[in-house]
């Protein structure tokens, strides 16, 4: 089972550290180990030995050194000169140096929510302009023959021949020659304007006295021809888009922003952009939009930044390094490497004033790169282990189990006869089922007063493979167990607890 494997790994780590010179500040005597035997035993350097044990099977204790009957390894001594007034794990200075243990101090630092991102340059689609004709005709000549050509405002794009415009112009000229009333001439001009005949073309026809059917399309704005929809000689119809011009005075830089950072962005935030290929060329911009589209694979959102491009140096496809400015604040931080993340919990190893180490749960805030904000669990000035904390944490967990197993037990809740006729103590606890396996059940339970156990998650053996078949993962249960079984403790009964049910 998963819980059993984790426990085994912790025990192995504890065995290594115990051999390296680790010891816990609290030990209690064991039944069956006489005071005379423990008092007589001593190490070559004169230190008093309480007992020997096998770190792989930490329960049994022995009154003399030798090989473990469980594993083919030497028994490890536990000394009496451990500091019993403190809790935690102590490490000698020599061992600390050998393990390369480093420390860091919890500090307050001025932090900013600024971050860097890489954005790809795109056309600002708000500056796109479509060039159309409102009359049927033909393209006689193209001045712009390929897409992505740069054009200036007012530059000629194409010459269009529109035969439908000849009739209205000839009618106007005939009315003027006939000397009709001004109202009729004005009505003829209004008819031509309704047919979208350019005013300049009407003026030319009146000046020379002949109808004009050819006119020039000019670029209404500067930029590049993003779309070219015609060729010379083709027929055009009203509403047909001949050219699409994309402006370049401003461009978009679209960046993939992590979800955790995107929630701190707001429209209008200033940004400084630099070319990825040449960091000396910088540009100013601001955040215009956070697109409502989340990439489920990368957990990122697209942010659209507007960047000034008056000099025209930026073209679509270029990469920009964006420095997004954010507000600054004072936060309590520790190095990110000091955090032990277990999935549901975050733990740091704190060095106490007396030199002992203890694990401590912390609540984390913002991830600041090399540092992490600590919201709860540490105070400014506390020393934490930044390197080697996994070994110390493993030893602390092992010693905690040993202390619980060796501590005097509270009055038993009940006893059941063992197969040999000797009474075996049973214990009752409440918890939540984490997983169910054929040979056992992993339960996150609360404190067990009869064993002086704190709340923890551990595996319990089943009396047989068919036992407790109705128990499911996530069930709230009250269970009874005793010492024994392949996992150290065996379940006797498991009762599901309904919400609101009195325990």
């Amino acid at each position: 089972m998963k819980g059993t494997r984790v426990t085994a790994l912790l025990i192995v780590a504890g065995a290594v550290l115990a051999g390296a010179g680790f010891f816990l500040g609290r030990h209690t005597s064991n039944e069956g180990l006489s005071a005379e035997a423990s008092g007589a035993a001593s190490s070559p350097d004169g230190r008093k030995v309480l007992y020997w044990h096998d770190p792989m099977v930490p329960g049994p204790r022995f009154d003399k050194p030798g090989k473990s009957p469980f594993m083919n390894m030497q028994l490890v001594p536990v000394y009496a000169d451990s500091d019993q007034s403190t809790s935690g794990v102590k490490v000698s200075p020599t061992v600390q140096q050998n393990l390369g243990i480093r420390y860091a101090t919890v500090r307050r630092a001025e932090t900013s929510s600024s971050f860097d991102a890489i954005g790809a340059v795109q056309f600002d689609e708000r500056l796109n302009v479509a060039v159309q004709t409102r009359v049927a005709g033909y393209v006689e000549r193209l001045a712009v023959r390929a897409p992505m050509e740069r054009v200036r405002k007012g530059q000629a794009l194409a010459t269009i021949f529109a035969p439908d415009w000849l009739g209205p112009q000839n009618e106007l000229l005939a009315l003027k020659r006939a000397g009709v009333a001004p109202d009729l001439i004005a009505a003829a001009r209004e008819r031509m304007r309704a047919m979208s005949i350019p005013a300049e073309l009407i003026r030319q026809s009146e000046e020379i006295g002949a109808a004009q059917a050819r006119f020039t399309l000019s670029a209404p704005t500067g930029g590049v021809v993003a779309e070219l929809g015609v060729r010379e000689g083709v027929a055009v119809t009203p509403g047909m888009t001949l050219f699409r011009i994309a402006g370049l005075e401003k461009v978009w830089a679209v960046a993939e922003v992590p979800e955790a950072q995107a929630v701190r962005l707001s429209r209008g935030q200033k940004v400084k952009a630099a070319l990825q290929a040449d960091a000396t060329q910088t540009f100013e911009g601001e955040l215009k939009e956070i697109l409502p589209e989340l990439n489920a694979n990368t957990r990122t959102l697209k942010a659209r930044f507007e960047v000034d491009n008056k000099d025209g140096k930026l073209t679509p496809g270029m990469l920009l390094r964006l420095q997004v400015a954010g507000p600054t604040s004072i936060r309590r931080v520790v190095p990110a490497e000091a955090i032990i993340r277990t999935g549901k919990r975050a733990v740091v190893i704190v060095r106490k004033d007396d030199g002992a180490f203890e694990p401590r749960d912390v609540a984390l805030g913002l991830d600041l790169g090399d540092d992490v904000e600590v919201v709860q669990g540490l105070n400014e000035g506390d020393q934490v282990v930044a390197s080697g904390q996994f070994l110390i944490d493993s030893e602390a967990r092992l010693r905690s189990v040993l202390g619980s197993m060796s501590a005097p037990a509270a009055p038993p809740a009940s006893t059941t006869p063992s197969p040999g006729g000797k009474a075996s103590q049973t214990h009752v606890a409440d918890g939540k089922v984490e997983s169910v396996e054929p040979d056992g059940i992993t339960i996150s339970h609360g404190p067990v007063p009869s064993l002086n156990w704190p709340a923890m998650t551990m595996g319990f053996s089943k009396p047989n493979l068919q036992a407790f078949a109705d128990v499911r993962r996530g069930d709230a249960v009250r269970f009874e167990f005793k010492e024994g079984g392949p996992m150290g403790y065996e379940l006797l009964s498991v009762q599901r607890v309904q919400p609101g049910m009195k325990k």
Side-chain angles (χ1 to χ4, degrees), residues 54-74:
D54 183 347
M56 299 293 291
V57 187
R61 300 180 178 184
F62 305 88
D63 58 0
K64 59 183 178 179
K67 282 208 169 185
S68 168
F70 311 105
M71 304 289 179
N72 189 23
M73 61 185 294
Q74 292 293 327

Side-chain angles (χ1 to χ4, degrees), residues 176-364:
K176 293 184 68 175
R177 285 193 296 267
V180 299
D183 291 345
L184 294 177
I185 294 176
R189 286 198 178 100
E190 286 296 329
R191 179 187 174 194
M192 287 190 291
R193 276 194 290 267
M195 295 179 67
S196 299
I197 300 176
E200 179 64 21
L201 195 65
I202 297 174
R203 185 187 63 79
Q204 290 178 9
S205 66
E206 290 180 329
E207 285 181 355
I208 64 177
Q212 304 293 315
R214 291 175 179 84
F215 69 99
T216 301
L217 281 177
S218 300
T221 185
V224 296
V225 178
E227 180 183 335
L228 177 60
V230 294
R231 290 296 176 185
E232 283 187 358
V234 302
V236 295
T237 57
M240 179 179 177
T241 299
L242 309 184
F243 304 89
R244 191 178 300 277
I245 300 175
L248 281 177
E249 291 186 358
K250 294 182 182 295
V251 294
W252 282 340
V254 179
E256 298 275 350
V257 179
E259 182 181 5
Q261 294 174 334
V263 296
R264 304 200 300 270
L265 295 178
S266 59
R267 297 179 65 178
Q269 278 188 267
K270 299 301 180 182
V271 62
K272 179 173 287 187
L275 276 176
Q276 179 78 351
D278 183 4
T280 61
Q281 300 190 45
T282 59
F283 310 86
E284 299 295 328
E286 66 176 274
L287 175 64
K288 283 298 182 182
E289 197 74 39
I290 299 176
L291 304 185
E293 178 184 359
L294 177 69
N295 188 323
N297 294 326
T298 60
R299 306 304 302 176
T300 56
L301 287 152
K302 287 185 178 180
R304 183 182 289 163
F305 300 89
E306 183 184 78
V307 181
D308 287 330
N309 187 35
K310 295 180 180 178
D311 298 333
K313 295 181 179 180
L314 298 177
T315 57
M318 285 184 172
L319 293 180
L320 292 177
R321 183 174 293 277
L322 306 170
Q323 296 179 345
V324 184
T328 59
S329 58
I330 304 298
R331 302 177 186 274
R332 188 167 60 236
V333 300
V334 296
E337 60 181 343
I339 306 297
I340 304 175
R341 301 178 188 268
T342 64
K344 295 182 179 180
R345 302 166 54 226
V347 180
V348 296
I349 304 299
V350 179
R351 186 186 187 189
K352 303 173 68 175
D353 294 338
D354 58 5
F357 299 93
E358 70 173 7
R360 188 179 299 175
D361 286 354
V362 293
L364 302 181

Side-chain angles (χ1 to χ4, degrees), residues 416-428:
T416 57
S418 64
K422 182 180 178 181
S424 174
Q425 181 180 345
T426 63
H427 313 278
V428 178

Side-chain angles (χ1 to χ4, degrees), residues 8 42 65 88 99 106 122 127 136 142 171 207-208 277 295 343 379 390 399-400 434 465:
S42 62
L99 292 177
V106 181
Q122 297 180 7
L127 303 180
L142 276 179
E171 181 182 350
E207 285 181 355
I208 64 177
N295 188 323
N379 297 316
F390 289 97
R399 296 299 189 181
S400 176
E434 298 293 343
L465 298 180

Side-chain angles (χ1 to χ4, degrees), residues 23-26 86-90 352 356-359 396 399:
F23 57 89
L24 182 68
R26 294 187 62 187
T86 183
S87 60
V89 175
K90 281 196 171 181
K352 303 173 68 175
F357 299 93
E358 70 173 7
R399 296 299 189 181

